[in-house]
Amino acid sequence: MKQIIGEPGIDLSSDSKMDLKLTRNSESFHKPNSSNHNLNSFNQASQYFPNLSPTNFLSRAENLQQNLKTKSTNSFEPNLNSGMATQNPPLDWDPHAMLSNLSFLEQKIHEVQSLVQSIIDQQAEFSSRPSELATRQQLATADLTCIIIQLISTAGSLLPSIKNTLLSNNPALRQLVNPDFNNNLKCEGLIRNFPETARNSEYEDLLRNLDNEADWMKEPNPLPQSDIVDANPIDEHDLKESDDGDAEREHLPPGSYIVLQLEKEEILAPHTHFCVICGKGFKRDANLRMHMRGHGDEYKTPAALAKPSKEPGSDVHPVTRYSCPFVGCKRNKEHKKFQPLKTILCVKNHYKRSHCDKSYTCSRCHAKKFSVIADLKTHEKHCGRDKWQCSCGTTFSRKDKLFGHVALFQGHTPALPMDEVKASGSGQGNDDMTEDLGGYNGNFASEECLTSMDVKGIDESRAYFSPMNFDGFGALDEFGRGGFDLEDNPFAFIPSGFGQRSGDS
Amino acid sequence: MEPEKRMDKRIRVDLNLEQNPISPFESLSEEVLFLILDLLNSNPLDRKSFSLVSRSFYKLESCHRRWLTPLRLDLLPSILTRYSSISHLNLTLCSRLTDVTLASIASLLSSSLRSINLSGSRSYTHKGIECLAEKCFNLEEIDVSIRVDLGDEVAAAIGKMVKMERVNMGRCKKVTDLGIGCIAAGCPNLKLLCVKGCVGVTDLGVKLVAVKCRKLQSLDVSFTMITKKCLPAIMQLPNLEEFCMTGCLGIDNKAFVNLKQGCNSLQALDMSNCEHMTDSGVLSILQKCPNLYHLNLASCSSVNVSILSGLKSMCKLGSIKLDGCKVTASGLKSLSNSCISLKELSLSKCPGVTDEGISVIMAKHKDLVKLDVTCCRYITDESLSAITSSCTSLVSLRMESCTKLSSEGFRLIGQHCPKLEELDLTDNDLDDEGLRSLANCHNLVSLKIGICLRITDNGLIPIGQSCPRLRELDLYRAIGITDKGVSAIADGCPHLEMINMAYCTNISDESLKFLSKCSKLCIVEIRGCLQVSSVGISVIAAGCRLLSKLDVKKCCEVNDAAMFSLARYSHNLCQIHLSYCSVTDAGLLALACLGSLRNVTMLHLSGVSPKGLATALLMCHGLTKVKMHSSFKSSIPRALIEHVESRGCSFHWMYKPFQVDFESSELWKQQSHDLFVE
């Protein structure tokens, strides 16, 4: 709730008008519970009447409701709802409603007239009972307030461009018709947040505030659309965040765009919001919006600040491109083949990358340096993962780079990762393979070979079990076939004559 | 070499014997003997006989042999010391090939070894390959395919072989770009590379190969993740002739449409199963590769043939496969107009093929050599008359399951296509008269007349009498065939290598006795021939020594005696199907002694005990695949199964109920046709 009055993060120094800021904040506040129109509108009311105490109304609320409900519910409530629902309703004010409003005003004025008259008449009596007088005065004040508000709203319906403003920011009315006003818990919070002084029934303060309100009403104000206005520049930044600002592709003819050149200090300032007209940077978007109004009244009207896409015919800004302040740089406007930068963000990144020290060092490899912190972060994501290696020892972070390297040089081959080789080597139970292989030299006697193979053969396949297989090699036969010891055959139960004879030749 | 010629030489040598007191064989010079050996290729037994003549012949044969395909490894070292000049070693039949073996091979053969085939062998690792790379510096060809567990290290080891020209790494699923990169960088002479099914290979690796290996002639990147990015580099290969990219789902139209440069040398392009290819892509390929001869578009369902009408008659395409594509009569018309030199056409399983389309094609292309209209169920005798009347030089005709054809049409084939070598009439309405007319095709090598229920011996006998070159005969479920017909085949076709007589219930042992005359017979299927007994199998085993594949499922009369004969004679037997036979433990153990045996299916062997089965499994160390009933799973010790599995054998536990009798072939055919209608 405190944020309604003043957000701690907002830089108020550059704000010329406090109320602008407040409006924006309150809108963001009331969005989640938009169903509770009456309450929310009261929240808003507290901002436009910072010193207005709700307690003033409390005592009179029921009376006023009685008065208002009979006539105004018909005429006001529909308007209220439509005003909340749409930002830009079509204007068709009803003359009948206007007439009834006026007659209501007339009646009200008569009431106040009679009230004041009675005070004058009974002045003598009041001197002895001051509390009686105070009550009468309070009643009169409340009535007057009601009249003023009614007047404003009636007049407001005549002004199309600010109609919504009036309705959505017209809290008193809604508050007055709110039956649950006293029961609502939130109003306690509101009351607590108001200055203590506001609780005193000081008519002058109240009236002054109301006067301020009326003054503010007179000048057209872009506030209702403020969220649209500030959404626009943010979008632009988001879109252009990633690209490097190459105007090369677009081939704008020189002169078809405005070239802006920011000062070095401006570029290096930690700003993130930039004016599209002068390029000045701001830390906060709110400050930028304040600044924008300084570029002329056209930036104050909601029409001018509406999204350009909705008015395709009118190009508000001329095409703007940026120049690097570093003289001699290709991106500097003095350069013969000047290539402008597209956005301010591009200017920032370009200037830092090209003309500044690389002050950010990678914490992993301690070798790579960057001037843009985003570049460092991108690098750190991949640093230390140069797992693609060439036989020459060069490592690469990406496989395609390695393959490009191998394709380029004769005799280079991709190197396999070491752990992979180890893992697969131990799979087959060949741990003793290397020792075995050590014995196989160039001059290899066949007998050696035989013996070593025999060991293997007996281990694995029980060659003795198969005396039938002399012709193992297709139909080849051997002269020097070794004798098989039939006694060794463990399957002696096979009838002799079957399977024991060694062949067919 | 023909046996008669061999006899002639013997006679001449015998004449010399009388004049010369010394051994007549010694007088033959080495050159002559080498020439003789050059011609002894048809039957391995011939060479064996040759080497048994004398010591010098033995020695000469040892020096002469270049190719070796050992069935088992046990004696490999001694074999290799004898045949020291082996240059081509095929170890595909040795399932358990360790690094030690490879190391010994490397040191024994060293520089003479040019080519080694390790496809499907297990247990070796990259260390063995590294030994080869170190010692066999002349190695030009290596095949390490079907090693799903082999990774980049093997590829890196191959990359150290500088003279390497042909590398096949199909289905080495763990190989990635790094391995391919090693090969690309290390083998500048590479001419053939197959990385089919290496799912880890991407554009980067293939691109590097294309950049580094400029001599590449054949590239197979089927079933990899390549995209259009690597195509420009591949198309710039100056010598590329064959490019296969079956099932590359990353390839689409844009890949070829945006291609700036086509490949002039490209002759064969296989892009079957590339689902994302459509007309415009195919058209741009044809425009950019002007010398393309073979084009395979099988199962490219989104390709419409009529797009070819955009081509000028410049197209050199000679062979097109459109299996399973959308084909219409107008499409075939434009195809026949644009591809003027068409020799081979495959339209199998194209539902849109009609008589009209076939006639259009036939009218234009009279010199068609191969035609495949398998499962084109809408063509009738009209098509057949168009085919036979125009394409008299047809060599291969495949028309399985063209159900609308009548026997009248088949007669036309025999009358007009005397050059036919391959004919597939499976599941057709062929009768004796039609079959008899096929006897005119004297050059027939392969004849498939399975599920032709109407044919009898009367039709088959003329085939046996007039087709001496027949090597492959499929009589599956040809129930009218009896021993008489088979005897005619056995008499007339001495080169018979494959015969399928499954469910020919009238076949008995007599047939097998006749067939034992065909010494080259290696595949025999007699599934469900109830009259066949052990006697017949024994005769076949003794007569056909090259027997490698035998199916005796449901031959209930086959018992242990047959197994003993097989164990005694059939040292080439690799695969046997024994389900429902009357084999017991003893027979199984005898069979297990066959070192060549790799694939056994044995369900419902009532006479086999778990103990006998376990012993047989232990003894048969060459096994790679065993199908058994799942009831044995619990009765065989777990440790034993694990041990056998560790030797490289995979178990398939089947759960099928025991089937007492099987349905008749008529019923079976009716059921299969009912399925089609649905």
Side-chain angles (χ1 to χ4, degrees):
Chain A
M1 285 300 177
K2 280 189 175 138
Q3 63 189 354
I4 294 165
I5 298 304
E7 203 178 43
I10 292 176
D11 186 8
L12 291 171
S13 59
S14 64
D15 284 352
S16 58
K17 285 192 180 177
M18 175 73 181
D19 48 5
L20 293 174
K21 176 66 61 191
L22 290 169
T23 309
R24 184 171 166 250
N25 289 324
S26 74
E27 271 185 10
S28 65
F29 167 73
H30 86 229
K31 264 171 198 164
N33 42 3
S34 54
S35 58
N36 199 350
H37 293 298
N38 293 329
L39 174 68
N40 290 330
S41 50
F42 178 75
N43 294 347
Q44 283 182 323
S46 60
Q47 295 140 29
Y48 302 123
F49 306 88
N51 296 323
L52 178 68
S53 167
T55 49
N56 292 332
F57 298 108
L58 292 180
S59 56
R60 293 277 293 166
E62 281 172 24
N63 280 341
L64 289 168
Q65 267 172 30
Q66 296 295 325
N67 294 333
L68 282 169
K69 260 190 177 175
T70 47
K71 291 179 181 177
S72 66
T73 40
N74 299 332
S75 55
F76 290 138
E77 290 241 310
N79 278 343
L80 276 174
N81 290 336
S82 69
M84 291 300 289
T86 53
Q87 288 286 342
N88 231 348
L91 175 85
D92 50 343
W93 60 272
D94 188 3
H96 296 284
M98 180 66 77
L99 192 65
S100 72
N101 284 353
L102 290 174
S103 56
F104 170 72
L105 275 174
E106 194 181 16
Q107 192 190 343
K108 205 78 202 168
I109 289 167
H110 281 302
E111 275 179 29
V112 181
Q113 227 170 9
S114 59
L115 187 70
V116 177
Q117 190 63 54
S118 72
I119 293 171
I120 294 165
D121 291 345
Q122 300 168 13
Q123 218 158 14
E125 295 172 39
F126 284 136
S127 57
S128 58
R129 287 177 293 174
S131 62
E132 181 88 25
L133 179 67
T135 318
R136 295 277 175 100
Q137 281 176 337
Q138 229 168 3
L139 272 173
T141 315
D143 276 345
L144 278 171
T145 315
C146 184
I147 290 164
I148 290 165
I149 289 166
Q150 180 67 33
L151 228 154
I152 291 167
S153 73
T154 311
S157 64
L158 293 165
L159 295 167
S161 65
I162 60 165
K163 186 191 173 199
N164 302 317
T165 315
L166 281 167
L167 289 173
S168 61
N169 295 327
N170 197 345
L173 282 175
R174 272 176 247 148
Q175 175 210 349
L176 290 174
V177 294
N178 185 0
D180 300 325
F181 188 77
N182 286 321
N183 301 333
N184 205 307
L185 286 171
K186 292 211 174 174
C187 65
E188 287 176 22
L190 287 170
I191 294 162
R192 205 173 51 234
N193 287 323
F194 280 108
E196 286 293 315
T197 51
R199 298 204 175 178
N200 302 331
S201 53
E202 291 174 6
Y203 308 127
E204 285 169 10
D205 277 353
L206 175 65
L207 284 171
R208 194 176 62 233
N209 277 310
L210 287 169
D211 285 345
N212 285 346
E213 178 82 28
D215 287 342
W216 170 73
M217 284 299 170
K218 279 169 199 163
E219 68 172 272
N221 199 292
L223 277 174
Q225 277 88 6
S226 61
D227 55 337
I228 299 172
V229 174
D230 66 48
N232 208 8
I234 285 172
D235 278 354
E236 275 180 9
H237 281 300
D238 285 347
L239 285 171
K240 288 163 185 173
E241 197 92 47
S242 55
D243 98 26
D244 205 36
D246 266 337
E248 291 163 314
R249 280 176 212 138
E250 55 182 3
H251 295 296
L252 282 176
S256 69
Y257 50 87
I258 295 169
V259 177
L260 272 180
Q261 181 168 306
L262 277 75
E263 288 310 306
K264 180 186 159 196
E265 290 74 22
E266 191 66 37
I267 290 170
L268 295 178
H271 299 151
T272 49
H273 301 276
F274 299 94
C275 172
V276 290
I277 296 161
C278 64
K280 184 171 163 57
F282 296 90
K283 265 185 181 176
R284 289 171 223 286
D285 180 61
N287 301 352
L288 169 63
R289 282 186 292 112
M290 294 297 112
H291 161 86
M292 286 305 283
R293 297 185 307 168
H295 280 299
D297 283 349
E298 67 264 37
Y299 295 101
K300 293 173 186 168
T301 63
L305 286 160
K307 274 191 178 175
S309 58
K310 284 181 182 172
E311 302 168 75
S314 63
D315 193 3
V316 182
H317 306 297
V319 183
T320 313
R321 291 294 176 265
Y322 299 88
S323 156
C324 170
F326 193 90
V327 179
C329 174
K330 204 177 184 180
R331 304 292 197 176
N332 184 271
K333 57 188 172 188
E334 308 298 332
H335 196 276
K336 271 184 206 165
K337 295 175 181 172
F338 170 56
Q339 287 179 340
L341 292 152
K342 227 176 188 175
T343 65
I344 306 223
L345 208 72
C346 301
V347 177
K348 284 186 78 164
N349 282 341
H350 161 77
Y351 193 83
K352 283 185 190 172
R353 281 176 187 143
S354 310
H355 311 302
C356 292
D357 288 339
K358 294 183 174 179
S359 47
Y360 302 108
T361 313
C362 173
S363 58
R364 296 197 194 193
C365 61
H366 300 288
K368 286 248 179 187
K369 290 183 175 181
F370 303 92
S371 50
V372 178
I373 200 153
D375 293 353
L376 171 71
K377 282 178 180 165
T378 313
H379 163 79
E380 277 183 334
K381 269 183 202 165
H382 304 284
C383 182
R385 294 197 195 164
D386 282 2
K387 55 178 181 175
W388 305 105
Q389 195 174 1
C390 177
S391 56
C392 68
T394 320
T395 56
F396 300 88
S397 59
R398 282 164 51 179
K399 191 162 77 166
D400 53 339
K401 299 289 175 198
L402 166 66
F403 276 68
H405 168 87
V406 171
L408 206 61
F409 298 101
Q410 206 65 41
H412 291 214
T413 59
L416 304 182
M418 284 313 286
D419 49 343
E420 196 184 322
V421 175
K422 273 181 199 164
S424 63
S426 59
Q428 292 279 349
N430 288 326
D431 297 333
D432 52 345
M433 252 298 296
T434 41
E435 296 156 34
D436 286 356
L437 292 177
Y440 290 91
N441 288 324
N443 289 333
F444 199 83
S446 60
E447 287 184 0
E448 273 177 57
C449 174
L450 260 178
T451 49
S452 63
M453 289 308 290
D454 275 348
V455 172
K456 199 78 186 173
I458 288 164
D459 279 343
E460 289 171 353
S461 53
R462 312 302 300 174
Y464 294 118
F465 288 0
S466 49
M468 301 283 290
N469 290 306
F470 272 104
D471 290 351
F473 296 87
L476 275 182
D477 210 346
E478 289 287 289
F479 277 127
R481 60 167 60 138
F484 277 87
D485 196 351
L486 295 182
E487 301 301 317
D488 278 351
N489 194 334
F491 301 97
F493 57 87
I494 299 173
S496 60
F498 290 115
Q500 298 288 346
R501 259 178 285 155
S502 63
D504 47 303
S505 55
Chain B
M1 184 179 175
E2 303 287 313
E4 293 84 9
K5 280 187 186 170
R6 196 148 53 88
M7 290 309 288
D8 288 346
K9 280 192 178 138
R10 280 234 172 117
I11 289 164
R12 189 162 56 83
V13 171
D14 284 344
L15 286 172
N16 289 343
L17 188 64
E18 289 165 13
Q19 299 160 2
N20 203 333
I22 324 164
S23 167
F25 301 111
E26 303 300 328
S27 62
L28 290 169
S29 70
E30 277 190 9
E31 286 76 23
V32 174
L33 290 173
F34 279 150
L35 277 175
I36 293 170
L37 278 169
D38 283 342
L39 297 167
L40 291 180
N41 287 323
S42 59
N43 191 341
L45 290 168
D46 294 346
R47 290 187 74 105
K48 186 169 148 188
S49 312
F50 181 92
S51 64
L52 288 173
V53 170
S54 73
R55 276 184 190 282
S56 59
F57 272 48
Y58 178 81
K59 210 179 259 174
L60 275 175
E61 205 267 331
S62 305
C63 300
H64 182 268
R65 184 179 273 273
R66 294 286 179 274
W67 297 78
L68 189 65
T69 309
L71 283 178
R72 41 182 298 203
L73 286 170
D74 309 22
L75 303 169
L76 190 64
S78 60
I79 290 288
L80 290 183
T81 38
R82 174 180 163 190
Y83 294 112
S84 54
S85 52
I86 292 287
S87 62
H88 298 79
L89 192 57
N90 184 347
L91 296 169
T92 47
L93 299 178
C94 308
S95 60
R96 235 176 107 59
L97 185 67
T98 61
D99 288 338
V100 181
T101 321
L102 279 181
S104 71
I105 289 169
S107 36
L108 283 169
L109 295 176
S110 62
S111 61
S112 68
L113 193 64
R114 294 279 162 85
S115 151
I116 189 164
N117 188 344
L118 306 169
S119 175
S121 306
R122 302 177 202 196
S123 306
Y124 69 89
T125 69
H126 64 281
K127 289 180 183 169
I129 308 291
E130 273 161 16
C131 287
L132 286 175
E134 205 175 300
K135 304 262 171 58
C136 309
F137 40 85
N138 282 327
L139 208 56
E140 286 167 358
E141 181 175 5
I142 192 163
D143 188 337
V144 291
S145 55
I146 330 185
R147 275 301 300 274
V148 181
D149 53 326
L150 282 187
D152 284 336
E153 309 87 57
V154 164
I158 293 173
K160 291 173 190 164
M161 304 172 183
V162 186
K163 290 190 179 174
M164 187 52 66
E165 286 179 5
R166 304 164 72 83
V167 177
N168 186 347
M169 313 195 66
R171 287 184 64 202
C172 292
K173 289 189 185 170
K174 285 192 181 167
V175 171
T176 68
D177 286 339
L178 282 186
I180 299 301
C182 289
I183 292 178
C187 312
N189 294 322
L190 203 65
K191 285 180 182 156
L192 178 145
L193 178 67
C194 173
V195 289
K196 187 177 184 173
C198 299
V199 284
V201 174
T202 68
D203 290 330
L204 282 177
V206 177
K207 222 167 156 181
L208 192 65
V209 168
V211 169
K212 285 279 183 181
C213 308
R214 304 298 288 173
K215 294 178 182 172
L216 208 63
Q217 290 173 356
S218 171
L219 181 63
D220 187 342
V221 291
S222 305
F223 302 105
T224 57
M225 313 307 260
I226 63 155
T227 66
K228 60 183 175 184
K229 283 183 194 164
C230 65
L231 279 181
I234 292 172
M235 287 299 150
Q236 281 169 13
L237 283 168
N239 300 313
L240 190 70
E241 288 169 5
E242 210 182 327
F243 183 38
C244 180
M245 45 178 202
T246 303
C248 290
L249 300 181
I251 297 285
D252 57 5
N253 275 342
K254 285 177 193 163
F256 285 97
V257 172
N258 297 337
L259 213 56
K260 280 180 189 158
Q261 187 190 349
C263 187
N264 281 331
S265 59
L266 197 64
Q267 288 174 9
L269 179 64
D270 184 345
M271 38 203 295
S272 49
N273 289 305
C274 289
E275 287 169 15
H276 303 305
M277 283 298 298
T278 62
D279 308 337
S280 52
V282 174
L283 196 62
S284 63
I285 296 165
L286 291 172
Q287 283 161 350
K288 283 164 187 167
C289 305
N291 290 316
L292 208 59
Y293 184 83
H294 295 275
L295 179 63
N296 189 344
L297 294 173
S299 303
C300 294
S301 48
S302 37
V303 172
N304 193 341
V305 178
S306 50
I307 190 70
L308 293 171
S309 59
L311 277 177
K312 297 279 177 335
S313 52
M314 300 267 291
C315 187
K316 288 186 181 173
L317 273 180
S319 163
I320 302 183
K321 279 193 180 176
L322 296 167
D323 305 357
C325 289
K326 275 182 272 176
V327 171
T328 57
S330 60
L332 287 177
K333 189 172 183 182
S334 61
L335 178 74
S336 66
N337 285 332
S338 50
C339 306
I340 45 167
S341 52
L342 205 60
K343 287 272 191 293
E344 297 170 19
L345 179 62
S346 176
L347 297 168
S348 87
K349 302 202 175 177
C350 296
V353 173
T354 56
D355 286 340
E356 191 193 348
I358 294 285
S359 327
V360 164
I361 286 272
M362 293 310 142
K364 281 258 179 183
H365 299 278
K366 297 201 183 296
D367 44 2
L368 213 60
V369 172
K370 279 189 180 178
L371 181 64
D372 187 344
V373 287
T374 300
C375 296
C376 293
R377 297 178 202 268
Y378 302 108
I379 61 171
T380 65
D381 286 348
E382 208 179 305
S383 297
L384 211 48
S385 72
I387 293 169
T388 50
S389 59
S390 61
C391 303
T392 48
S393 53
L394 215 56
V395 167
S396 166
L397 178 60
R398 304 171 63 137
M399 38 201 327
E400 177 187 339
S401 283
C402 295
T403 39
K404 285 193 176 171
L405 299 179
S406 74
S407 55
E408 192 62 38
F410 297 119
R411 226 168 300 157
L412 293 171
I413 299 176
Q415 284 164 9
H416 294 105
C417 304
K419 292 184 180 172
L420 268 184
E421 289 178 13
E422 186 189 8
L423 183 59
D424 187 348
L425 298 175
T426 306
D427 198 10
N428 277 322
D429 198 24
L430 184 69
D431 65 356
D432 279 344
E433 216 173 315
L435 190 56
R436 219 176 293 143
S437 73
L438 292 180
N440 285 337
C441 311
H442 301 297
N443 294 321
L444 269 184
V445 171
S446 165
L447 178 62
K448 295 189 177 175
I449 44 176
I451 329 180
C452 294
L453 303 185
R454 290 168 63 194
I455 55 169
T456 65
D457 292 339
N458 294 335
L460 196 59
I461 289 168
I463 295 284
Q465 285 165 347
S466 53
C467 302
R469 297 174 63 188
L470 202 64
R471 277 191 296 211
E472 212 171 305
L473 182 61
D474 186 350
L475 299 168
Y476 177 82
R477 282 188 196 266
I479 45 172
I481 302 295
T482 68
D483 294 338
K484 243 168 105 184
V486 178
S487 87
I489 292 290
D491 285 336
C493 314
H495 300 293
L496 201 67
E497 288 171 9
M498 188 283 258
I499 188 160
N500 187 344
M501 300 184 292
Y503 301 108
C504 294
T505 39
N506 295 318
I507 296 294
S508 73
D509 287 339
E510 289 301 307
S511 290
L512 298 183
K513 278 179 191 164
F514 293 126
L515 283 174
S516 64
K517 280 184 268 183
C518 306
S519 59
K520 291 178 181 172
L521 205 60
C522 58
I523 300 175
V524 176
E525 289 190 44
I526 42 177
R527 178 184 293 207
C529 294
L530 299 172
Q531 297 183 42
V532 168
S533 72
S534 291
V535 180
I537 304 293
S538 300
V539 176
I540 280 280
C544 312
R545 293 296 184 78
L546 297 175
L547 193 68
S548 68
K549 209 169 157 185
L550 181 66
D551 187 343
V552 288
K553 182 185 175 184
K554 290 185 179 170
C555 295
C556 306
E557 298 295 310
V558 171
N559 56 28
D560 288 346
M563 299 302 116
F564 296 143
S565 311
L566 286 172
R568 183 172 168 191
Y569 298 114
S570 306
H571 299 301
N572 288 302
L573 194 66
C574 292
Q575 186 178 341
I576 190 164
H577 193 141
L578 285 173
S579 303
Y580 294 97
C581 289
S582 310
V583 174
T584 67
D585 286 352
L588 209 56
L589 286 173
L591 200 65
C593 293
L594 279 173
S596 55
L597 202 61
R598 286 183 293 150
N599 193 339
V600 184
T601 305
M602 36 189 181
L603 281 87
H604 304 299
L605 295 182
S606 49
V608 171
S609 70
K611 217 171 179 180
L613 197 61
T615 324
L617 286 174
L618 271 180
M619 285 167 67
C620 200
H621 46 261
L623 279 180
T624 55
K625 186 176 169 187
V626 177
K627 273 192 192 176
M628 285 195 295
H629 199 271
S630 52
S631 61
F632 280 113
K633 198 173 180 179
S634 52
S635 46
I636 296 177
R638 181 84 213 130
L640 189 140
I641 291 172
E642 278 169 7
H643 169 67
V644 176
E645 276 173 343
S646 77
R647 292 195 312 207
C649 178
S650 64
F651 285 90
H652 296 243
W653 301 101
M654 314 299 285
Y655 184 76
K656 281 184 183 172
F658 187 85
Q659 217 178 338
V660 182
D661 48 10
F662 49 92
E663 67 267 28
S664 71
S665 290
E666 286 95 344
L667 190 66
W668 185 87
K669 181 163 182 171
Q670 190 55 50
Q671 282 172 355
S672 76
H673 280 237
D674 289 349
L675 278 176
F676 162 63
V677 170
E678 280 166 14

